[in-house]
Amino acid sequence: MKKLINKVDDVVTESLAGMYAAHPDLIKVLPEYKTVVRASAPKPKVAVISGGGSGHEPMHGGFVGYGMLDAACAGEVFTSPTPEQMYEAAKATNGGKGIFFLVKNYTGDVMNFQMAADLLKGDGVEVEQVVVNDDVAVKDSTWTAGRRGVGGTVLIEKIIGAYAQAGASLAEVKELAERLNANVRTMGMALTSCTVPAAGKPTFDLPNDEIELGIGIHGEPGRERVKQKTSAEIVEYLAGAVVSDLPFKAGNEVLAFVNGMGGTPLIELFVVYNDLKKFLDGKGITIARNLVGNYITSLDMQGCSITLLKLDSQTKALWDYPVKTPALRWGK
Amino acid sequence: MKKLINKVDDVVTESLAGMYAAHPDLIKVLPEYKTVVRASAPKPKVAVISGGGSGHEPMHGGFVGYGMLDAACAGEVFTSPTPEQMYEAAKATNGGKGIFFLVKNYTGDVMNFQMAADLLKGDGVEVEQVVVNDDVAVKDSTWTAGRRGVGGTVLIEKIIGAYAQAGASLAEVKELAERLNANVRTMGMALTSCTVPAAGKPTFDLPNDEIELGIGIHGEPGRERVKQKTSAEIVEYLAGAVVSDLPFKAGNEVLAFVNGMGGTPLIELFVVYNDLKKFLDGKGITIARNLVGNYITSLDMQGCSITLLKLDSQTKALWDYPVKTPALRWGK
């Protein structure tokens, strides 16, 4: 294993410290809780909090800031953060308008956010949560009952973050998060495995001429391993599964998100986006907004995922709303 | 070779088409010249143009837009664009205030930009150029006489792009580019080789427990191959060479740029930045601005480079100036 790290046990702590050192104007870190919070307390508003295992950077800590998250709890690599972290994140960002947890559907995350919610309710704090489960690849997986939460999470965090920033109530944020989750679908693939620092070797073996379709963001098994395919063929497989699942239909306006798995260079992601645009054009589906880059990653895995979110005028406007975080920034 | 591509010969064309499809509000592409230009003609100003071989995305095409480049010419992977491309880029963006070419120091790029400049001068167009040569690793290299142009290019493009946007004259832009080049130094390293699509196999072999220090952005040899080191040791080596070369001194304010080589995930780049901050703190050098991410890449290479640029009040303000490009965006 070759990585730009020091001690394996210090990777998460040092990476968070580095992100803080680079962005002290936007974020601060509660080191004892491995939690990223906004640099300054926002005005009274619903606090939007997410979190999960590390190894998916910039998600979630890179999305803390104006117009997106109020806090993000980082677990060890591919390991859920604890209820204590989530509880402390809520305490640190509670603006009196309630706490909203956005949770990816992995058993540990779901259980721990639920425990934190129960603790907060015991303190008299209003808490709501929504579990994201946008991965169409498989039902039930290594660490999941039901579908996994993947790329859609990034889009939901951006849009509900804007909504909360603009003054939406806790009930409104929850309703929108549920609606977004109902309208977003994702599927991913891998050219190579990732290597978890503590394991020191690739999570799985993939022959030099094979790819895995439907992979999870921790390297969990997908639908099938096949001989190498072209970008256009991969897009047809992934986007085909995504489109037919919701289903997305001719006339729909969508946000199209081509995400890199961490080790994929931008030159390739734009080739994929080019094929996705052609694929959706052929189906009469209009890309009204897009996002291309490495936003929800699996350490150094090479591969990509394709996410489509059906948009309406409200969610388009919230996507365009100003955002100022380490990883996403526009309009401000 | 596993990559997210279609035909090897179409990678650059399709990637540019994908970038355009994702950002039609910011850029357009002159397909016959593989050149990215701004979506709409800027007001009369100095046109700042760069370019070079592809494989370094988002550089240069991802830096076209308000406050940065007016055009970027893309060669094939790791191959200089032609004088014709540069000439057409200048024709398409000439605002009547002169053309400024920012050139990385590789023999083909230098020769071709010079030929384009000569052609333009023959047409009566004012042209100036500066050759960036910030890599302290080696003198003379595979495709370079003198030092290579690497990470400093990104910073110079941002700062002179802002200067031109704010109305600086051609002579002023040239003077500032020369001053920036005199005050910026970089050194890089690799954990793994890159794989050029047309070659189909890694450019060089690097054993599983070795890294290469001083690597070039096309995989050109660096200073030495050594056994794997920690992030802190790598920072000490790279930043040590950078600091002692200028030299940077206690009391200096710098822009610190930790760049990923394309296959390096953000979790690692922030570990490196954390070590760089400590290293510079120890020398009394203040990081006044920073940039962390994959901005000048070598396809799928894993590794990083460290760039330091000495700042003054003018260049700090120009760094902060609004920028709106596919890859860098703030303040607007």
Side-chain angles (χ1 to χ4, degrees):
Chain A
M1 176 183 68
K2 291 194 280 191
K3 287 186 186 291
L4 295 169
I5 62 174
N6 295 300
K7 286 190 211 144
V8 164
D9 288 347
D10 295 338
V11 172
V12 174
T13 303
E14 291 183 5
S15 188
L16 289 176
M19 188 167 68
Y20 165 67
H23 298 288
D25 53 325
L26 302 179
I27 59 166
K28 56 188 175 186
V29 174
L30 311 176
E32 66 269 49
Y33 302 114
K34 288 179 185 163
T35 289
V36 179
V37 300
R38 291 199 193 184
S40 50
K43 64 179 189 194
K45 61 179 273 300
V46 173
V48 180
I49 298 174
S50 191
S54 293
H56 307 299
E57 292 68 23
M59 189 185 79
H60 299 272
F63 301 138
V64 173
Y66 181 90
M68 208 161 168
L69 298 181
D70 294 281
C73 306
E76 286 304 314
V77 171
F78 295 173
T79 304
S80 175
T82 63
E84 185 190 21
Q85 289 175 269
M86 299 154 184
Y87 177 82
E88 294 295 338
K91 288 286 183 188
T93 57
N94 187 356
K97 301 276 189 170
I99 302 292
F100 184 74
F101 286 153
L102 192 74
V103 186
K104 300 194 302 304
N105 189 32
Y106 299 98
T107 305
D109 290 339
V110 171
M111 189 176 67
N112 291 345
F113 271 108
Q114 183 59 55
M115 285 178 64
D118 291 343
L119 286 170
L120 288 163
K121 283 173 189 164
D123 291 351
V125 177
E126 266 198 300
V127 189
E128 293 287 358
Q129 54 182 312
V130 164
V131 177
V132 181
N133 59 350
D134 58 316
D135 189 342
V136 307
V138 292
K139 181 161 167 41
D140 301 335
S141 182
T142 315
W143 296 296
T144 317
R147 288 178 165 189
R148 300 174 295 219
V150 288
T153 314
V154 176
L155 310 184
I156 298 175
E157 289 181 359
K158 166 67 184 85
I159 292 172
I160 65 167
Y163 201 34
Q165 190 73 55
S169 70
L170 184 58
E172 288 170 329
V173 169
K174 184 185 183 187
E175 184 279 325
L176 180 61
E178 283 174 340
R179 186 150 49 87
L180 290 164
N181 188 49
N183 282 286
V184 68
R185 296 291 186 275
T186 298
M187 192 154 144
M189 58 78 61
L191 300 172
T192 64
S193 175
C194 52
T195 296
V196 175
K201 60 185 175 57
T203 304
F204 57 90
D205 289 317
L206 200 52
N208 272 334
D209 61 345
E210 287 188 18
I211 61 177
E212 179 147 347
L213 298 165
I215 195 93
I217 57 170
H218 313 88
E220 310 98 299
R223 285 188 179 180
E224 57 178 327
R225 287 185 181 188
V226 298
K227 292 290 173 196
Q228 191 170 351
K229 289 176 179 285
T230 65
S231 165
E233 290 166 341
I234 290 167
V235 164
E236 188 162 353
Y237 189 102
L238 300 183
V242 163
V243 164
S244 64
D245 189 89
L246 191 65
F248 294 87
K249 293 176 183 162
N252 283 166
E253 282 198 319
V254 300
L255 194 163
F257 173 26
V258 171
N259 173 63
M261 290 296 192
T264 306
L266 207 50
I267 189 173
E268 296 179 34
L269 296 180
F270 279 126
V271 171
V272 172
Y273 185 77
N274 189 50
D275 287 318
L276 179 60
K277 172 79 163 62
K278 287 186 207 168
F279 178 86
L280 294 175
D281 282 351
K283 297 212 170 295
I285 296 168
T286 301
I287 303 180
R289 299 291 184 275
N290 71 81
L291 184 66
V292 182
N294 288 280
Y295 291 104
I296 167 172
T297 62
S298 304
L299 296 165
D300 55 340
M301 185 187 282
Q302 291 189 16
C304 71
S305 62
I306 289 175
T307 300
L308 298 181
L309 167 66
K310 199 190 290 186
L311 290 171
D312 57 32
S313 59
Q314 180 195 27
T315 51
K316 260 193 289 191
L318 291 171
W319 179 258
D320 295 340
Y321 193 91
V323 62
K324 191 171 178 181
T325 70
L328 278 187
R329 184 166 169 178
W330 57 71
K332 202 176 157 78
Chain B
M1 176 183 68
K2 290 194 282 190
K3 288 186 186 291
L4 295 169
I5 62 174
N6 296 300
K7 286 190 212 144
V8 164
D9 287 347
D10 296 338
V11 172
V12 173
T13 303
E14 291 183 5
S15 188
L16 290 175
M19 188 168 68
Y20 166 67
H23 298 287
D25 53 325
L26 302 178
I27 59 166
K28 57 187 175 185
V29 174
L30 310 176
E32 67 270 49
Y33 302 113
K34 288 181 185 161
T35 289
V36 179
V37 299
R38 291 199 194 185
S40 50
K43 63 178 189 193
K45 62 179 275 298
V46 173
V48 180
I49 298 175
S50 192
S54 293
H56 307 299
E57 291 68 23
M59 190 186 78
H60 298 274
F63 300 138
V64 173
Y66 181 90
M68 209 160 168
L69 298 181
D70 294 281
C73 306
E76 287 303 314
V77 171
F78 295 174
T79 303
S80 175
T82 64
E84 185 190 22
Q85 288 176 269
M86 299 154 185
Y87 177 81
E88 294 294 339
K91 287 285 182 190
T93 57
N94 187 355
K97 301 276 189 169
I99 302 293
F100 185 75
F101 286 154
L102 192 74
V103 186
K104 299 194 303 303
N105 190 31
Y106 299 98
T107 305
D109 290 339
V110 170
M111 190 175 66
N112 291 344
F113 271 108
Q114 183 59 56
M115 287 178 64
D118 291 343
L119 286 171
L120 289 163
K121 284 174 188 163
D123 291 350
V125 177
E126 267 198 300
V127 189
E128 294 287 358
Q129 54 183 312
V130 164
V131 177
V132 181
N133 59 350
D134 58 315
D135 189 341
V136 307
V138 292
K139 181 160 167 45
D140 303 334
S141 182
T142 314
W143 295 297
T144 318
R147 289 178 165 189
R148 301 175 295 219
V150 288
T153 313
V154 176
L155 310 184
I156 298 175
E157 289 181 0
K158 166 67 184 85
I159 292 172
I160 65 167
Y163 201 34
Q165 190 73 55
S169 71
L170 184 58
E172 287 170 330
V173 169
K174 183 185 183 187
E175 183 279 326
L176 181 61
E178 284 175 341
R179 187 150 47 88
L180 290 165
N181 188 49
N183 282 286
V184 68
R185 296 290 186 276
T186 299
M187 192 155 145
M189 58 78 60
L191 300 172
T192 65
S193 175
C194 51
T195 296
V196 176
K201 59 185 175 57
T203 304
F204 57 90
D205 290 316
L206 200 51
N208 272 334
D209 61 345
E210 288 188 18
I211 62 176
E212 179 147 345
L213 299 165
I215 195 93
I217 57 170
H218 313 88
E220 311 97 301
R223 285 188 180 180
E224 57 178 329
R225 287 185 181 188
V226 299
K227 292 289 173 196
Q228 191 170 350
K229 289 177 181 284
T230 65
S231 166
E233 290 166 341
I234 289 166
V235 164
E236 187 162 354
Y237 189 102
L238 300 182
V242 163
V243 164
S244 64
D245 189 88
L246 191 65
F248 294 86
K249 293 176 184 161
N252 284 166
E253 283 197 318
V254 300
L255 193 163
F257 173 26
V258 171
N259 174 62
M261 290 296 192
T264 306
L266 208 49
I267 189 173
E268 296 180 35
L269 296 180
F270 279 126
V271 170
V272 172
Y273 185 77
N274 189 50
D275 286 319
L276 179 60
K277 172 79 162 64
K278 286 186 207 168
F279 178 86
L280 294 175
D281 282 351
K283 298 213 170 292
I285 296 168
T286 302
I287 303 180
R289 299 290 184 275
N290 71 81
L291 185 66
V292 182
N294 288 279
Y295 291 103
I296 167 172
T297 61
S298 304
L299 295 166
D300 55 340
M301 185 187 282
Q302 291 189 15
C304 71
S305 61
I306 290 175
T307 300
L308 298 181
L309 167 66
K310 199 190 287 186
L311 291 170
D312 57 31
S313 58
Q314 181 196 25
T315 50
K316 259 192 290 190
L318 291 171
W319 180 258
D320 294 340
Y321 193 91
V323 62
K324 191 171 178 181
T325 71
L328 278 187
R329 184 166 169 180
W330 57 72
K332 202 180 158 78

